Amino acid sequence: MGNGSCRIVVNSSPISEYHVLLLPTPSKCLNQKLNIDAIELGLSYLINCGDPDTRVVFNSLRAFASINHLHLHAYRCEASLPIESTKVEHLVDCCYVLANYPVPGFVFELQSDTIQLAKAVFVVVELLQQKDIPHNMMITYGDPCSMKQTSGASNGGASNGGAISGGAGSGAPLPVIRVGLWPVKPSDQLSLDKLLFKPAVCELSGNILLHDLEQFHSITEDQIISTMKQSAFEDERFHELTQIVKTKLGGQQ
């Protein structure tokens, strides 16, 4: 990504302060299909910001992408999001699966360096693309999946593995980079008129965007979870995916 081909542009419809679009290679006029360069750009942007409130997100086509050119969103949200601390179960290598979360998905943890993390994420993204499965992705800081990272230990990767210091000798787990990846039902197969909000990547992470003040004051947690589940991938199909992912990532070790 050091060839100067990427661009950062202001979002004309921001959802928060410092909301920008990350364009990996705009001169190539690529469609909204995630590639490894885009994943590396998102990781690099998050680390170089050095701001735990920054998130980088991606919606694929048929998963509420707003326009068909390759881009990621980056924005700030000062609140902690459920995806950043929810429990996970180890699958293989740096890949985990969400446990007891409304929408099944994968979580990847930065353990060595960003190149290896990007490659692991792209293995699963490419699998979803081959199977024509829409997907959403968030890159963020969160709790260590393995709970082995503490303030007295280094992650051994670039910029301390992307970790932000928790204070010397505190013994508290360091925030590390988490990448959430959700395979979802095609948005064109959902009854949009019956949804309280569009369950895109922000919403799946727990950052619910509402555009009606009355709804904002009246919506309940059960309603939010119910709406998120409308786009959830079927448990049986997700289990099949996890077995394929385990084989593919396991074969790279």
Side-chain angles (χ1 to χ4, degrees):
M1 300 308 296
N3 58 9
S5 62
C6 58
R7 295 289 183 270
I8 300 175
V9 300
V10 175
N11 191 330
S12 61
S13 301
I15 63 172
S16 75
E17 61 180 350
Y18 310 118
H19 187 168
V20 297
L21 299 182
L22 308 181
L23 311 179
T25 48
S27 61
K28 293 185 178 180
C29 299
L30 301 175
N31 64 10
Q32 184 69 341
K33 185 177 181 180
L34 197 57
N35 59 32
I36 194 164
D37 286 344
I39 297 171
E40 290 179 7
L41 174 60
L43 290 168
S44 177
Y45 182 88
L46 189 74
I47 289 175
N48 282 289
C49 279
D51 177 12
D53 292 331
T54 295
R55 276 77 171 191
V56 176
V57 298
F58 173 88
N59 295 311
S60 80
L61 296 176
R62 306 181 77 199
F64 297 105
S66 56
I67 193 168
N68 189 16
H69 69 75
L70 183 56
H71 67 285
L72 300 92
H73 293 259
Y75 73 103
R76 292 189 79 249
C77 175
E78 294 183 357
S80 298
L81 302 178
I83 187 61
E84 297 161 353
S85 59
T86 191
K87 292 183 178 180
V88 294
E89 297 174 354
H90 187 241
L91 184 62
V92 60
D93 195 23
C94 65
C95 182
Y96 298 74
V97 293
L98 292 167
N100 301 318
Y101 201 77
V103 181
F106 301 95
V107 173
F108 300 81
E109 179 185 54
L110 178 56
Q111 296 178 340
S112 56
D113 61 75
T114 56
I115 301 299
Q116 292 303 314
L117 176 59
K119 288 180 178 178
V121 174
F122 186 65
V123 165
V124 183
V125 167
E126 192 172 39
L127 171 65
L128 299 179
Q129 291 171 344
Q130 291 169 351
K131 292 182 172 294
D132 196 24
I133 298 173
H135 44 281
N136 307 96
M137 180 188 74
M138 171 173 276
I139 306 174
T140 185
Y141 285 101
D143 294 346
C145 296
S146 61
M147 295 308 293
K148 294 178 181 178
Q149 298 291 337
T150 65
S151 59
S154 169
N155 207 12
S159 185
N160 192 28
I164 293 178
S165 176
S170 69
L174 282 173
V176 298
I177 288 180
R178 278 189 174 201
V179 181
L181 180 64
W182 293 269
V184 294
K185 295 177 182 176
S187 56
D188 52 24
Q189 295 181 12
L190 304 179
S191 301
L192 298 182
D193 58 328
K194 297 181 180 179
L195 297 176
L196 296 178
F197 53 83
K198 292 181 179 179
V201 62
C202 292
E203 290 75 14
L204 296 184
S205 71
N207 188 9
I208 311 301
L209 305 180
L210 301 173
H211 304 281
D212 181 89
L213 184 60
E214 182 177 348
Q215 183 189 46
F216 176 82
H217 288 297
S218 63
I219 196 168
T220 66
E221 182 178 358
D222 287 343
Q223 289 175 318
I224 290 173
I225 291 174
S226 177
T227 301
M228 291 172 64
K229 285 184 175 181
Q230 296 302 306
S231 66
F233 212 57
E234 296 87 348
D235 288 341
E236 183 176 344
R237 293 184 65 195
F238 182 73
H239 177 71
E240 293 173 358
L241 276 179
T242 63
Q243 299 311 300
I244 300 173
V245 169
K246 189 173 184 179
T247 299
K248 284 183 173 291
L249 289 180
Q252 293 187 345
Q253 295 181 9

